[in-house]
Amino acid sequence: MRWTPGSANRAFCGPCGESWCRRRPVAGLCAEPVLLSCPAALPPRQIAACVAIPRPASGGVAVSIPAPRIRGVRLLSKLDNFPFQEDPVLERYFKGHKAALTSLDFSSNGKQLATASWDTFLMLWNFKPHARAYRYVGHKDVVTSVQFSPHGNLLASASRDRTVRLWIPDKRGKFSEFKAHTAPVRSVDFSADGQFLATASEDKSIKVWNMYRQRFLYSLYRHTHWVRCAKFSPDGRLIVSCSEDKTIKIWDTTNKQCVNNFSDFIGFANFVDFNPSGTCIASAGSDQTVKVWDIRVNKLLQHYQVHSSGVNCISFHPSGNYLITASSDGTLKILDLLEGRLIYTLQGHTGPVFTVSFSKGGELFASGGADTQVLLWRTNFDELHCKGLNKRNLKRLHFDSPPHLLDVYPRTPHPHEEKVETVEINPKLEVIDLQISTPPVVDILSFDSTTTVSILEQRLTLTEDKLKDCLENQQKLFSAVQQKS
């Protein structure tokens, strides 16, 4: 079955065709009803159910039918129980910070959102209606980064006051303070198992900490300018970092060495991260670009130039099929990485957008920026749909196809420029059904009730560990000598 609703948006039968419009079929076979939706033919939040035509016999010709003439077409509202997906929708917004937002992160259970700001505070938002928000007071300068631990029992924050803090995300707000960097700290990141924390700083170093013992482990030095971001790979074996020296470096956490280096930038990368499978990294460039690199073969895989100003942050959907970007041009963009194209432009902020993040399940994403607002969005991606896309791309057999994220050996870089058929969404913040945007805020004045890690204490700890290892080795040698004699 083939349906052409008009203009550049074309729809083909999903199982037997090679392309479709931006609202893809989500159910049905060639001889069964297929759900289709196209922005050129239908109002927002509606779909058309059309009767599919059986696949022609061998040697036959597929029949093309204009959408208005399809028999049995009817419009369905969002109240009908059909497994279709809508455009991203602004669900809620929060106001509480007094200055621009710099970072945000969802808890592992998806029930809380932590935000950091230039106002020196962290805030913890609960998604329950009328629930209180907590404001954590303690940092003495801009809070630059915030992240939940994988288990949700800790909240790490970095600040321009040169410290890293670990908070308990509740109304007590107890914290530990790490002091090892000699300049502002730009980012924090937990390993997937929660055992380690990586911090990046303007002192040109990345430091790795043990979370169980809450002590410093080692530093990584190779950057020649401020390090803006450092992230663990999903398996914890690698760390990727970006710096204002216009390089992206890959580090091996086992031997503490730099094992790869990317420097194809006119500007520098503001943010960098691994995709969920750990095979690729994506960077947000000050030169307005988003680049995806395959670290298995060290090649540029995709290159997007869809923003009109610097890109400040990126976030992978948990499926790895989509990437959302935040830019100083005031917009968010959602990229379909499997098709290699821009699919959504989201407008809602009234100034530069500095941070964006998907929830751990991918059903929500949040954004924040210079307008001090936190916007909470619901996605239009579901797990079933993502699995279908993966299966489709695994079956690609054409050698001249552009490289995709699932390619083991990408052939050539994939440059990409903005296309006119993308969908723009500009929600109105006065929507009646948005929940309360300014919940009651409780200030948590925390005091350091645990050990503060200083540089001297780190050196003492390392010396003690080495001494312990020496004594153990001596004991083993002594036992071996005794056994021989």
Side-chain angles (χ1 to χ4, degrees), residues 187-246:
S187 81
V188 290
D189 186 62
F190 283 100
S191 60
D193 57 8
Q195 294 187 37
F196 305 101
L197 181 74
T199 59
S201 170
E202 293 180 10
D203 63 10
K204 307 176 186 177
S205 75
I206 299 116
K207 296 188 184 296
V208 178
W209 309 76
N210 183 300
M211 287 294 94
Y212 289 158
R213 297 183 60 179
Q214 294 197 9
R215 68 180 182 88
F216 169 78
L217 290 179
Y218 58 87
S219 294
L220 302 173
Y221 290 104
R222 282 288 293 277
H223 283 294
T224 58
H225 210 301
W226 296 350
V227 185
R228 299 185 68 92
C229 180
K231 295 282 186 178
F232 279 103
S233 62
D235 59 11
R237 294 186 299 172
L238 300 173
I239 291 175
V240 62
S241 62
C242 62
S243 166
E244 292 192 13
D245 62 11
K246 299 184 179 181

Side-chain angles (χ1 to χ4, degrees), residues 220 222 248-252 255-261:
L220 302 173
R222 282 288 293 277
I248 292 175
K249 297 185 184 296
I250 307 290
W251 309 82
D252 188 324
N255 58 26
K256 288 79 174 175
Q257 297 295 317
C258 178
V259 294
N260 211 335
N261 187 78

